[in-house]
Structure formats: structure tokens, C-alpha cells
Amino acid sequence: MPLHPQVRAVAQAGGVPPPLTVETLPAARAGFVASTLAEAGPGTPLADVSDVDAYGVPVRIYRPAPGAPVVFYLHGGGWAMGDLDTHDPLCRYLAALSGAAVVAVDYRLAPEHPFPAASDDVDAAIAWIRREGEALGLDTTRIAIAGDSAGAHLATTAARRWRDRGQPFAAQVLICPITDHTAPLSDVDSPGLLEQGLAFCWDAYAPAGVDRDQPDLSPTSADLTGMPPTLVITAEYDILRASGESYALSLAEAGVPAVSVTYQGMIHGFFRRLARFDSARQAVAQVAANLRAELS
């Protein structure tokens, strides 16, 4: 189908952003934060939202009720943008719909902190919650992980690393995921993520001299057997659609229960934009239902 009319309206109102470079990155970061209210809305009220320090990593915990299972959420932004506030409305809504305590991780950003800083921060936060979560009123026997874009890349990397430690997650949800740096891109005419921006993000996170073919950077190069049940959500007009679908297929071929769903007419980053796109709320509802089932 063509671009959704809601996407067309936003694209026409917003104009064409400048290419993403080291020079334009500060303005892009500031714009990402400043757009949150208009893009995602004010956020859903919850019984308890608190910021904590997890072995030096800032973490925000959204608790809808005592004794809730845990879902780690890793924000998108190409490893170079985003924070706890840019995805606060999304995490609130996901916690409210899923009944799970959403744990958002404020990992360090590239290029100031290149690979493996973000992955290390995610691991530290997971380890801290596994150790301290019960005292915080969380059910740490039921844990899933989710993320969008670069956050989805970090999520599936963490899922494999914790599988290898003998502490697997109950499920993973990957929204518009970045996968391998060599993965084929979908040929779409889209006002969303562009190839230039994706290349900039890869160069910021894994600069020259870093082996991008290692499993922590190229998820499909790893043994995928025993990975958690997976929901992959892609957008029709996202250059990452084909690579996300391919990764879901690789998981299925490794014997992992994996489902891939494409949201028609949508673009990269639609999932966070709850106040703009009807599909965003529907997608969060689907993710919430999936997590309820996997964590029950």
C-alpha cells in the first residue's frame, strides 16, 4: 500500500532534515528530545515510576503493580541519540498495557562512547535488576527484553549473551531492528531512516578498526539456537524491513519460535510516535499482548 496518510502529513509538515553528521548530531539529539511531547504524547499515569542507579547505569523503572514481571526496554536512536525521556511515554504505555514492569536503560551514546559501551551498560543494568529486583518488588523469575532500532540490536545481543550465561530471557521483541552491517536494505522511497543516516550510526558506534562481523555486532553470525521466543515488528517503508524479516527467518530456521509482522504504510521509528500514528498504538498493544502471553 502507499504511505499511510498520517505519515504523509507528518512528512509534509516536517520538511527534509539535514544529513546526519558529527556537526549536526547535537541538534538532532536536541530535536529528538524536544519532539517527544508532540510525537508521543504526555504519557500514561502509572502507580510507580522511579529512577535508580544500576552499577553506574541510569535506569528508569515503570511499575504498574507489585510483583510484576520485568521487560527491559532499550531505546532507539542509532546508538547515538535518545534517552530515558525520549521513550518515556512509550515505556509508560507499554507497562500499562502489558502489566509488566518496564525497565528502561539509559546506555551511553556513540560516538563519544563507541562499541562496546552500550552493550556493557545494558549487561550491567540487567545484572543489577537480576540481583536487586526482588527487593524492588519485581518478579525476576519472569524477564523479557525489547527494543527498537539500535535498541533492538542491543536487545538481541543481550539475549544471546545471557543465553550463553545460562540465564535466558523468556522472550524478546525487536521493533524495526538494526541487524548486520552487511544486511540488504529495502528499496523504499521513505521520509524515515535514510541510508546515509544508517551509515553514520554504524560509523559512530563501530568505527574503523572494529570488527563488525563479530556476533555482538552482527547477530546472524552467532549460533541462534536457544534464543528466546521472538516477535519482530517491521515497517513497510523502512529500509531495515528486509533485514528485520531476514533475521526473524534466521531465528525460525534455528528452531526459535519467531513471528514477523509488517505494519503497512509505516516508516522507521513509527513505534514511538503514539500521538502521530494510529499504527503505533496498535503495535504497542500487540507487543503488550505478546509479552503477557510469554511472561504468564
Side-chain angles (χ1 to χ4, degrees), residues 269-291:
F270 84 97
F271 189 73
R272 164 183 170 268
R273 301 163 86 172
L274 300 167
R276 298 289 195 197
F277 305 140
D278 296 334
S279 292
R281 291 189 174 275
Q282 183 60 45
V284 176
Q286 180 179 12
V287 170
N290 174 269
L291 291 170

Side-chain angles (χ1 to χ4, degrees), residues 100-270:
V102 174
V103 178
V105 181
D106 196 16
Y107 55 84
R108 287 171 290 173
L109 299 178
E112 297 89 341
H113 304 283
F115 173 83
S119 277
D120 289 347
D121 287 354
V122 171
D123 272 355
I126 293 169
W128 189 85
I129 289 291
R130 286 185 182 274
R131 177 178 174 178
E132 304 293 338
E134 185 176 355
L136 296 171
L138 307 177
D139 182 355
T140 55
T141 66
R142 297 181 291 159
I143 304 181
I145 193 164
D148 63 281
S149 190
H153 183 282
L154 294 170
T156 200
T157 297
R160 179 188 52 77
R161 286 161 68 141
W162 285 89
R163 175 207 66 183
D164 292 348
R165 293 172 181 144
Q167 294 179 286
F169 291 105
Q172 65 173 350
V173 178
L174 313 176
I175 301 106
C176 298
I178 297 177
T179 57
D180 301 7
H181 71 105
T182 58
L185 301 179
S186 294
D187 183 13
V188 293
D189 183 10
S190 170
L193 178 66
L194 302 177
E195 288 189 41
Q196 182 277 330
L198 178 62
F200 170 83
C201 293
W202 270 112
D203 289 342
Y205 184 55
V210 174
D211 176 15
R212 294 184 185 178
D213 294 323
Q214 62 182 290
D216 284 349
L217 287 172
S218 290
T220 56
S221 69
D223 175 10
L224 298 178
T225 57
M227 288 288 278
T230 303
L231 171 62
V232 176
I233 287 180
T234 60
E236 182 183 11
Y237 285 90
D238 181 6
I239 62 173
L240 297 177
R241 188 196 71 225
S243 59
E245 292 170 345
S246 177
Y247 186 52
L249 180 59
S250 294
L251 288 164
E253 288 177 338
V256 177
V259 174
S260 176
V261 178
T262 299
Y263 275 74
Q264 301 298 306
M266 287 292 110
I267 58 173
H268 189 80
F270 84 97

